[in-house]
């Protein structure tokens, strides 16, 4: 697996994780995938460091701990509570005691030509690496807000993992991620699906623009936020 010159490597871990697909939440129930989605790892990486000038590409994830689940009864607040009934009991299926190694790199967001003066690869790479060392710039979560997580720098592939000698594991059809309006030329909101295979604990992700993904357009030609350097965005890194 080739690492890019602007790659970052980190380990993310926590007591619980919930990587769910919206289609599995009918009736308030949530069931986690067995492994994190591309979008979940992209969100974690953006919590470590992000600017609209760049787009993070997740290259691979390595599952370090044994995949285990735990069910919990959750009292969720109703959006439109019924008479004398303010919440309902829902059952969430979490992953527990999770640890992952992540390899990612960034590319310039070609839809943000107005931010070309901010395209300084060394600056952004150095800031991203320092952010990894500090545990991220924002709070880190594994899928949902209640699943607090922590980030540390690592060397991708180093150390012993539970599935190092496991061979191939077909993970089934699952969500890959979203393509947001400011990440494609048509400004569409797109959802992506795929069929990943984990090999000895490692999943190598298809790029978001890969023709091997099953892509479906949710909304067409959406508006995107404008950034103006010096007004609502700074060229300063820190």
């Amino acid at each position: 697996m080739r690492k890019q010159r602007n790659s970052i490597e980190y380990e993310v871990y926590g007591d619980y994780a919930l990587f769910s697909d919206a289609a599995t939440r009918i009736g308030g129930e949530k069931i986690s995938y067995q492994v994190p989605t591309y979008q979940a790892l992209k969100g974690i990486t953006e919590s470590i460091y992000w600017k609209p000038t760049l787009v993070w590409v997740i290259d691979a994830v390595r599952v370090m701990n044994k995949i285990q689940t735990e069910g919990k009864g959750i009292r969720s607040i109703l959006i439109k509570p019924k008479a004398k009934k303010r919440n309902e009991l829902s059952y969430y299926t979490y992953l527990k005691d999770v640890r992952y190694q992540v390899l990612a790199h960034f590319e310039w967001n070609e839809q943000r030509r107005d931010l070309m003066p901010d395209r300084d690869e060394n600056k952004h790479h150095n800031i991203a690496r320092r952010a990894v060392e500090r545990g991220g710039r924002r709070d880190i979560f594994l899928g949902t807000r209640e699943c607090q997580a922590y980030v540390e720098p690592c060397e991708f592939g180093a150390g012993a993992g539970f599935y190092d000698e496991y061979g191939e594991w077909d993970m089934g059809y699952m969500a890959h991620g979203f393509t947001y309006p400011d990440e494609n030329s048509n400004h569409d909101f797109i959802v992506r699906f795929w069929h990943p295979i984990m090999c000895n604990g490692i999943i190598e992700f298809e790029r978001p623009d890969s023709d091997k993904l099953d892509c479906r357009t949710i909304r067409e030609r959406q508006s995107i936020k404008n950034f103006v350097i010096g007004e609502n965005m700074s060229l300063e890194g820190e």
Side-chain angles (χ1 to χ4, degrees):
M1 186 185 309
R2 190 171 69 89
K3 299 177 183 178
Q4 306 292 330
R5 65 181 184 182
N6 60 4
S7 291
I8 61 171
E9 304 163 85
Y10 65 86
E11 192 166 80
V12 58
Y13 57 93
D15 293 334
Y16 294 98
L18 182 58
F19 307 114
S20 61
D21 179 9
T24 68
R25 300 177 190 172
I26 299 174
E29 313 299 315
K30 294 183 181 180
I31 302 175
S32 179
Y33 286 124
Q34 294 173 307
V35 292
T37 62
Y38 180 100
Q39 191 65 38
L41 296 175
K42 182 182 176 185
I44 292 170
T45 309
E46 289 178 342
S47 292
I48 295 172
Y49 175 69
W50 177 82
K51 288 191 79 174
T53 313
L54 55 88
V55 176
W56 283 107
V57 177
I58 310 301
D59 299 304
V61 62
R62 183 182 179 210
V63 181
M64 301 298 291
N65 292 352
K66 181 181 179 180
I67 297 173
Q68 305 174 84
T69 61
E70 181 177 319
K72 293 185 178 184
I74 305 295
R75 287 286 181 184
S76 56
I77 299 175
L78 295 178
I79 298 176
K80 294 181 179 180
K82 301 175 183 178
K84 298 181 180 180
K85 192 174 182 180
R86 296 293 176 179
N87 54 37
E88 288 184 341
L89 180 62
S90 299
Y91 288 96
Y92 293 3
T93 302
Y94 294 89
L95 299 174
K96 67 176 183 178
D97 187 24
V98 298
R99 182 179 294 267
Y100 308 105
Q101 290 183 353
V102 181
L103 176 65
H105 72 279
F106 66 82
E107 299 176 356
W108 304 129
N109 187 344
E110 296 301 333
Q111 309 308 316
R112 292 290 184 183
R113 308 292 293 181
D114 52 332
L115 299 181
M116 290 185 68
D118 192 39
R119 293 186 179 183
D120 186 330
E121 184 179 64
N122 289 332
K123 179 188 78 171
H124 290 296
H125 189 213
N126 289 333
I127 295 172
R129 288 191 301 175
R130 289 198 297 271
V132 170
E133 293 172 356
R134 297 172 185 176
R137 287 190 160 191
R138 299 195 297 270
D139 290 345
I140 307 296
F141 308 107
L142 287 163
T144 58
R145 183 66 176 82
E146 69 266 25
C147 298
Q148 181 78 38
Y150 305 92
V151 164
E152 295 178 356
C154 75
E155 179 183 351
F156 189 88
F162 186 85
Y163 296 99
D164 287 351
E165 306 297 330
Y166 192 85
E168 291 191 352
W169 183 349
D170 189 331
M171 307 308 298
Y173 190 73
M174 60 184 290
H176 182 277
F178 300 107
T179 301
Y180 289 101
D182 65 342
E183 295 176 347
N184 66 93
S185 58
N186 292 328
H187 302 320
D188 296 334
F189 179 51
I190 301 169
V191 62
R192 308 184 305 269
F193 297 89
W194 73 319
H195 199 120
I197 303 293
M198 184 171 74
C199 183
N200 293 328
I202 296 177
I203 297 176
E204 297 187 33
F205 288 102
E206 293 289 343
R207 290 177 53 87
D209 55 2
S210 171
D211 57 7
K212 296 180 180 180
L213 300 177
D214 180 6
C215 299
R216 306 175 189 179
T217 300
I218 305 300
R219 293 181 179 178
E220 297 181 347
R221 301 192 179 280
Q222 300 296 292
S223 60
I224 62 175
K225 180 176 180 179
N226 293 321
F227 289 96
V228 179
I229 296 175
E231 294 185 12
N232 59 354
M233 178 180 168
S234 171
L235 290 181
E236 297 298 326
E238 299 289 356

